[in-house]
Amino acid sequence: MQRSHFLTSGAALVVAVHAPVRALAATGSPSASGAAKLSPSAWLRIDEHDVVTVVLGKSEMGQGVNTSLPMIVAEELEYPVERMHVVFAPPDPAFKDPFLGGQQTGGSTSVKSTFEPLRTAGARAREMLVAAAAKRWNVAAAECTARNGTVVHAASHRSARYGELVADAAALPVPEKPALKPREAWTVIGKGRKRLDTLAKATGKAQYGIDVRLPGMLIATIAKTPSMTGHVLGYDAAAAKKVKGVRAVVPVSSGIAVVADNYWSAQQGKNALNARFAAGPKPPSTAHIAADARALVKTEGAVGRNDGDAARAIAGAAKTVSATYEAPYLAHTTMEPMNATAHVTRAGVEVWAPTQSQELAQSVIAKIAGVKPEQVTLHTTFLGGGFGRRLEVDYIQDAVEIAKAVRVPVKVVWSREDDIQHDFYRPAATTAMSAGLDANGKIAGMKSTLVCQSIVKRALPALFKNGLDPLAGFGLADVQYTIPNFHYSYHHQETGIPVGFWRAPYSNANAWSTESFIDELAHAAGRDPYAFRQDHLPPGTRARTVLDLAATTAGWSTPLPKGVFRGIAFATWDDSMIATVAEISMNGKTPHVRRLVSAVDVGTIVNPLSLEAQVTSAMLYGLSAALTQKVTFTNGAVDQHNFYDYTVLRQDAVPLMTVVFVPSTEKPSGAGEIGTPPVAPAVTNAIFAATGKRIRSLPISDTFA
Amino acid sequence: MYRLTINGVAHQVDAPSDMPLLWAIRDIVGLTGTKFGCGVAQCGACTVHLDGQAARSCSVTVAESAGKKITTIEGLSPQGSHPLQKAWVAEDVPQCGYCQPGQIMAAAALLAHKPKPSDADITEAMTNICRCGCYSRIRKAIHTAANGIA
Ligand code: FES
Ligand code: FES
């Protein structure tokens, strides 16, 4: 990424993305006065050399923002996407995501939160460039057109490149409400575009956090306290320092850091430490947590939704069904292990990190180093995967604590074991559901009780009120099915385990319990699982549309080859909807997933290619988890270590995948997570169709062990 | 001191004999295209070629690598014009991209031995992990490269 581009001074047209128009002075470099003071970084910038730079307030973690966000600008700016420069933004209030409340990349909001602001930025720049040309040629602006980086006055055969116009354009007032192109005129948005950064990634040139190298830099690894509630008892610093290449041993909050010339020496030093740890008071263990949850789920929690009288409807129903589901803790395992590089000097702190949370990082860095936030320089690198893990900044904290002690640039690199054993886990969920069917096989009432450790209580405490985590009911309390009497209650379970946002938070477990239970009800009603869902989703609703589209695409009504079975599931994540059909066969005792078909509605689509990639990626992420993944705890410590005991799906287990989109003119909603939640229930429902065995505890491999 | 020949260039590397080649490449020689993913030969992110064979450099020592011809992603093709790299662009393969140098090195070793691999050959040779789940496009791109389409 060419940071220099945005530091270059000279004539430039700078258009604020989120900043209020009135406060803009569209001149000079971001570091100059005027605009710079207001918001030195949230810019679309065009310089006199025709260099168009999009400063991305979103991190590139595989979702393709490096391409899709410039596409949004390009549509209005009339400038080729492939010629745009992209730089990752420093922390700046101008990049606050209105949906997330901070400068973060998460919650599938990258397109949703930038779609209007980026179109507006492109359109403002275009109108200013056209106005500048019209003024120069003394013609009406309406007679000029902007196309492909040039303003043209066709009648007089005059034209000027954007770069030739920026100085004049920058002196003009910024149009507050520029005219946006009508949807019918779009030529960029909605057309599949291959990613602009593929060659960099295919040649090893793309720089991830772990690739940062600085003169004089040392590398640190940490002997991390294994127990979530534990502490260090003792260690042999002298023995570690005897290892060739080891430079320092530094106690940090998460354990003991060994600083060395390279990763291997640091690891050898870490082994030589012979560190001893205490498990601490009440160390969490899976066995206790699960037992507590099973007891808790029998009682009513804080009521999050109460339509009609579910208890009465169930009591008076023709048929009743009840079941309890258990989903395990999960780790994120991004491909790039956690890491960060920091240099603490008298002047301030410079940090390089693959982070989803620039704003939080900035404040944490400042606090640890004892400097003001403006003394923090934070460079965001490429992220080797995020999935919610890099919303946390614990790895940055490690780097800054060590760098503060050693005063030279330090890169901390976690081992895969550290990554799996020191995550912010997808919380386990225990869900008790009961429902009554009326004489016509319709759901008369449903009651669900969820026990799940709140992520919000730790990460966004202000939102946790009256015992309710407002996100915990995603995919459960916001049920789309027509159910006249519905009751949802929630128990936060305090466990001592750090929990965090994991692809499609909450919905990733709730969709499984809900859709498994709906399947159980269909079976009790003697209805086909797809038909039963249709019975409860009115025609014309978005939910019904995706359900029907998935079923039709998968050929639900056509017979399958012998030994192949189908399952269907529907899910929501925020404003997005999905339905998935899984086809499985049994390989002896183990299920083999042959095919997954999903229909999704994510509103307006910017880049169909990256959307398809995101949905299939999320589906496989969900499939890996459903098949084999679980994190368990003994005496406060994680039992799993590496990819041999926390397995992820590989080439040999990839099903055929089809993704179809519901055409939509609605606002864009999220795309990065919606593929995950429906996969587990579609597969377990297919397993029920194949074997008659209802899976009520994940992962699936536990049942077939 | 070990003499490592990486991408045709000889490097004198001062490292203990048991240091995995991965760390010599990344931290001592300074070539960062070869990635660290697990350190225990599970993920393939660290795949390089040793005398033309795919090897997981986290699990081969510096001592074992001395005297061999070592090729990393940086040496596969200086301009990124290896048929696989072109195919990766044509098929829009990467998402986060972190696993991709390893995937490409594994695929390059496969194609060197089997210029027209079957699906079964690809499944057998390509055991690298991609956490973003780019597997289908990886498979497609290998066929594309093998067929000289890109
Ligand atoms: S880092 Fe070598 S196989 Fe994973
Ligand atoms: S592209 Fe992200 S791990 Fe493969």
Side-chain angles (χ1 to χ4, degrees), chain A residues 537-562:
Chain A
L537 290 174
T541 57
R542 287 175 70 210
R544 175 64 178 270
T545 305
V546 295
L547 181 78
D548 288 342
L549 184 58
T552 319
T553 310
W556 183 268
S557 53
T558 58
L560 285 163
K562 197 167 175 293

Side-chain angles (χ1 to χ4, degrees), chain A residues 13 15-16 19-22 24 26 120-129 131 169 172-179:
Chain A
L13 174 62
V15 177
V21 175
R22 245 176 314 105
L24 279 178
T120 304
R124 277 181 188 156
R126 184 196 65 225
E127 288 194 356
M128 291 164 83
L129 290 160
L172 297 173
V174 179
E176 183 157 8
K177 280 212 160 73

Side-chain angles (χ1 to χ4, degrees), chain A residues 285-295 326 430 493:
Chain A
S285 285
T286 304
H288 299 137
I289 295 168
D292 289 351
R294 280 172 206 148
E326 293 179 303
T430 302
Q493 186 185 15

Side-chain angles (χ1 to χ4, degrees), chain A residues 220-236:
Chain A
T221 63
I222 301 174
K224 287 188 168 270
T225 308
S227 169
M228 309 291 148
T229 48
H231 59 268
V232 178
L233 287 175
Y235 57 92
D236 188 347

Side-chain angles (χ1 to χ4, degrees), chain A residues 465-478:
Chain A
K465 281 188 205 122
N466 307 322
L468 281 171
D469 171 332
L471 308 185
F474 270 24
L476 183 60
D478 55 358

Side-chain angles (χ1 to χ4, degrees), chain A residues 335 643, chain B residues 22 35-47 56-59:
Chain A
M335 202 71 231
F643 289 125
Chain B
L22 172 64
K35 304 301 186 200
F36 167 55
C38 68
V40 293
Q42 280 284 320
C43 74
C46 64
T47 305
R56 295 191 167 171
S57 64
C58 68
S59 303

